[in-house]
DNA sequence: TGACCCAGGTACCTATAGGTAACAATGGAA
DNA sequence: TTCCATTGTTACCTATAGGTACCTGGGTCA
């Protein structure tokens, strides 16, 4: 019943593919997956590398990604608690397109901001 | 002052790269860019291909993308009005990573849904 | 006897993305 | 003279993602 090689169609509003797109649309998912693609990290490290996340929101994001099979959460019965997050194979496969997006964003910020300035001044 | 080959850093909360990620996080951007990557389209055609968009929201999305230099809006002084949307070079360069994301989404829906079922039933 | 560390949890608030429904403007067709 | 096509706009409402601030629990270190 699982692992159907079923192919979705993002243009169908009723296709669950939309759900996947929504997850990627999540404000922090891209950043978290990107950071984790470099290796296993603990909560606090994650928080430090992804600038600006509130702990509550980071927890939410991590739980959602765990639920979707993108990452694994490992709890070590220690004191103080130690929890590690690492990507699954599925997560690693997602890391590639995400890296492409991130790369585009970093490489084209200048053009986008320039277009924005130009547009705003012509409308003003 | 424009077109700086400045490279952003998505992990810096104050970096405008975040703005670009936010735009991609927009619910309809990915779909609109994807559809337009196949060629120029009119408003109604666009609306038909991207299932489930309300006209107001489509207008908002298109304006935002125009502002960011991703697409061009051409108005023909006809009656009834005719407006065409096409990607710019910048938009076409974005279409590639977006296609990768979309491809991933369509190809891995099955795995994600399976993980979700498994997670939900183990928590229940 | 505190104070600290880690990984969150809880309660609460709000901005805004997104949605619904109805209307506008124009000229040609029926 | 009423209707229709086309591309939106306007007013209005709401769900929820996201944020702030503070709490918890239990070893350890001083």
């Amino acid at each position: 019943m699982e692992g159907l090689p079923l192919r979705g169609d993002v243009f169908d509003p009723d296709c669950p593919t939309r759900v996947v797109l929504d997850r990627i649309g999540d404000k922090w998912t891209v950043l978290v997956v990107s950071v984790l693609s470099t290796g296993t990290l603990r909560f606090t490290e994650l928080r430090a590398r992804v600038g600006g996340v509130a702990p509550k929101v980071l927890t939410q994001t991590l739980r959602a990604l765990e639920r979707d099979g993108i990452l694994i959460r490992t709890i070590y019965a220690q004191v103080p608690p130690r929890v590690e997050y690492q990507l699954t194979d599925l997560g690693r496969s997602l890391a590639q397109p995400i890296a492409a997006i991130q790369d585009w964003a970093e490489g084209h910020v200048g053009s986008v901001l320039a277009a924005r300035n130009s547009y705003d001044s012509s409308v003003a």
Side-chain angles (χ1 to χ4, degrees), chain A residues 9-16 18:
Chain A
D9 172 16
V10 287
F11 297 114
D12 176 0
D14 297 324
C15 174
R18 288 285 176 96

Side-chain angles (χ1 to χ4, degrees), chain A residues 22 56 81 104:
Chain A
D22 284 350
K56 190 199 82 169
W104 189 92

Side-chain angles (χ1 to χ4, degrees), chain A residues 2-124:
Chain A
E2 299 172 357
L4 296 171
L6 178 64
R7 195 135 238 284
D9 172 16
V10 287
F11 297 114
D12 176 0
D14 297 324
C15 174
T17 311
R18 288 285 176 96
V19 173
V20 178
L21 281 188
D22 284 350
R23 169 127 337 291
I24 289 166
D26 183 284
K27 188 170 180 182
W28 302 105
T29 294
V30 170
L31 264 19
V32 167
V33 171
S34 173
V35 166
L36 281 181
S37 70
T38 67
T40 302
L41 286 174
R42 302 179 58 184
F43 189 85
T44 310
E45 293 166 337
L46 219 40
R47 187 142 90 96
R49 301 211 191 182
V50 179
V53 222
K56 190 199 82 169
V57 176
L58 183 54
T59 298
Q60 284 175 354
T61 304
L62 290 169
R63 286 292 144 77
L65 290 174
E66 187 193 7
R67 183 164 103 103
D68 287 352
I70 305 295
L71 57 81
I72 291 178
R73 187 163 160 267
T74 312
I75 305 166
Y76 295 90
Q78 302 180 354
V79 170
R82 173 185 184 82
V83 181
E84 287 185 348
Y85 297 90
Q86 59 184 312
L87 293 184
T88 59
D89 286 344
L90 186 61
R92 246 162 285 151
S93 75
L94 175 59
Q96 295 174 9
I98 278 189
I101 286 288
Q102 184 183 323
D103 201 62
W104 189 92
E106 293 185 341
H108 295 80
V109 207
S111 305
V112 169
L113 291 182
R116 216 171 262 203
N117 281 333
S118 158
Y119 183 93
D120 290 349
S121 61
S122 74
V123 170

